[in-house]
Amino acid sequence: MDPLALKLINSPFKFIWINQILLQVAQNMLNFALLIFVFQLTNSNTLVSIFILSISFPAIIFGGFAGVIADMVDKRKLIIICDLGMAAVTLFLFATHTTYAFILLASLVLNSFVQFFIPAEGSAIPMLVERKQLLAANSLFFFTLYGSLILGYTMAGPLVNFLGNSYFFLAVSVLFVLGAAFSTALPALRSNGYINLGKGFKKAVETTIEEIIEGWNFVAHNRLVLGGLVLLAVVQGMIAIVATLVPGYFERELKIAATESYVVLGPLGVGLLLGALSVERFGKKMSRRLMVLRAVLVCGIILVIIGLLPVLASVFDRSQFIAQRPRPF
C-alpha cells in the first residue's frame, strides 16, 4: 500500500471518513425511501414534488450561514450533534411515517442537520491531515460521496422489502448512531476564531449577511459567474423534476415496484461515478464551458428518449401483434 495512504488511514482522519460513509449511505437511503413512501401514501406527483422541496428548502434557509457557524465552533461537537439529531429524526419517522405532514416535517429537520454537517465535515479535513495528504483525503471523500449515493439509492428498496417500513427506520437510525460513536474518537476541531456554539449564532448571522451582500455584488458584475449560477439552477431544477416523476414512472409506465427501482438506479449510479472519474481524467483536454454545455445537451436528449420509451414500446407491441395475427384466406 502507498505509504501516504497508509499514514492517512492510520490517522484520526479515518474516524471522520467512516462517519461520512455511514451518514451519507443512511441519508441517501432515507431520502429515497421517503420518496417512495410519499408516492405510495398519496399517489400524487404534486405531493411528491412538495416533498422534494422539503429536501432542498433547508439549503435556502441555512446554506448561507451554516458554513460560517461550522468555522466558528468546535467541528467535532457539531458533527456529533448532527449525527444524533438525524438519528432522532429517523426514530420519529419510525412512529409517524404513515402521515404525510410528519414526513414533510421530518424531511425539513433532517436536511437542516445535513446543511450544518457538510461544512463542518469539509472544514475538519485540513485539521486532521498533513498538507501533503490533503489531496488524497479530499479525493477519498469525493469518491465516497458518489459511492454512498449509489449504495444508498440502490439499497433503499431492497432493505425496505426485507425489513418492512418500520424496521427500516430503526436500521437507518443505527447507522447515524454508529457515525456519532466514531466521531467521538476525533480530537477537538477548533479554528482560530473559535467561539461557544450557543453564542455563535448571532455573530454567524451578521457575518453571513455581510458575505451574501459581498457575494451578490461580485456575481452581479461578473456575467460568466452569473451565467454559471443560472445554468446550475436550471440543472438542479431538472434533477428535482426527474426525482418527482421517478416513482410514478416506474410503477405506472415501466410496471416496476418503486421499491425495486434499483434495477434502474444501480446502472444510473455507476454511470454517475464513471462520469465523475472521466471528468477528473479527461476534462483537462476540453474547455470546461464546452464540456458542461455538451453534457446538459446530452442529458436533455436522453430524457426525451426515456419519455418516449413507453410510446415506442406500445407501438412495438402492436406491430408484433399485427405481424403474428393469422391472415384471412
Side-chain angles (χ1 to χ4, degrees):
M1 181 181 288
D2 185 356
L4 189 63
L6 184 62
K7 190 175 181 181
L8 190 65
I9 293 174
N10 290 331
S11 71
F13 168 81
K14 67 176 176 287
F15 297 114
I16 197 170
W17 180 50
I18 294 172
N19 177 57
Q20 187 212 21
I21 295 173
L22 293 170
L23 184 135
Q24 292 284 355
V25 170
Q27 183 211 350
N28 286 317
M29 283 199 303
L30 191 56
N31 279 335
F32 188 72
L34 288 177
L35 181 68
I36 296 172
F37 292 160
V38 167
F39 177 76
Q40 293 176 339
L41 190 64
T42 65
N43 199 32
S44 168
N45 286 335
T46 301
L47 294 180
V48 171
S49 67
I50 295 174
F51 168 74
I52 296 293
L53 184 62
S54 74
I55 295 176
S56 306
F57 192 67
I60 301 174
I61 302 298
F62 300 112
F65 65 88
V68 178
I69 290 181
D71 284 338
M72 292 180 174
V73 303
D74 186 342
K75 296 160 188 57
R76 173 181 174 272
K77 290 182 179 179
L78 185 56
I79 288 171
I80 294 173
I81 289 172
C82 290
D83 284 335
L84 295 178
M86 285 186 271
V89 172
T90 309
L91 288 175
F92 170 77
L93 283 166
F94 172 76
T96 62
H97 66 272
T98 56
T99 305
Y100 177 71
F102 285 139
I103 291 178
L104 286 184
L105 175 62
S107 178
L108 283 169
V109 177
L110 179 80
N111 289 284
S112 296
F113 279 119
V114 172
Q115 294 306 312
F116 289 92
F117 174 84
I118 292 175
E121 184 186 49
S123 58
I125 297 175
M127 304 175 70
L128 292 171
V129 301
E130 300 175 7
R131 186 178 182 86
K132 62 182 180 180
Q133 297 173 318
L134 192 56
L135 179 61
N138 284 328
S139 298
L140 192 58
F141 259 61
F142 175 80
F143 180 82
T144 303
L145 178 66
Y146 286 99
S148 63
L149 184 68
I150 297 171
L151 282 176
Y153 275 56
T154 55
M155 288 173 57
L159 201 59
V160 169
N161 288 335
F162 179 72
L163 297 176
N165 293 357
S166 297
Y167 288 104
F168 167 81
F169 292 109
L170 288 180
V172 173
S173 66
V174 168
L175 294 180
F176 286 129
V177 172
L178 285 175
F182 278 104
S183 299
T184 58
L186 292 169
L189 299 171
R190 299 174 179 176
S191 304
N192 294 332
Y194 167 76
I195 58 177
N196 183 272
L197 183 59
K199 298 178 181 179
F201 187 81
K202 182 179 179 181
K203 184 176 180 181
V205 173
E206 294 173 352
T207 305
T208 301
I209 293 174
E210 295 174 0
E211 291 186 356
I212 288 175
I213 295 173
E214 182 181 349
W216 174 253
N217 290 332
F218 172 76
V219 171
H221 294 88
N222 193 318
R223 295 179 63 183
L224 288 177
V225 175
L226 180 61
L229 289 176
V230 171
L231 181 59
L232 180 62
V234 171
V235 171
Q236 291 292 335
M238 290 171 56
I239 293 173
I241 292 171
V242 171
T244 299
L245 299 175
V246 159
Y249 183 78
F250 282 157
E251 296 204 350
R252 295 169 183 167
E253 303 296 339
L254 299 182
K255 308 303 179 185
I256 299 174
T259 54
E260 297 178 359
S261 54
Y262 58 87
V263 297
V264 176
L265 293 176
L268 179 65
V270 173
L272 181 65
L273 180 60
L274 292 176
L277 295 175
S278 299
V279 169
E280 182 72 19
R281 183 167 184 178
F282 304 111
K284 298 178 182 179
K285 301 178 181 179
M286 184 186 302
S287 164
R288 291 175 183 247
R289 177 175 175 272
L290 184 61
M291 181 169 56
V292 169
L293 292 177
R294 286 181 176 178
V296 173
L297 178 62
V298 171
C299 286
I301 293 172
I302 292 174
L303 287 176
V304 171
I305 294 173
I306 292 174
L308 292 175
L309 283 178
V311 178
L312 296 175
S314 63
V315 171
F316 178 77
D317 288 342
R318 284 198 298 269
S319 64
Q320 288 287 94
F321 173 75
I322 293 173
Q324 296 175 5
R325 186 172 57 187
R327 297 180 180 179
F329 291 104

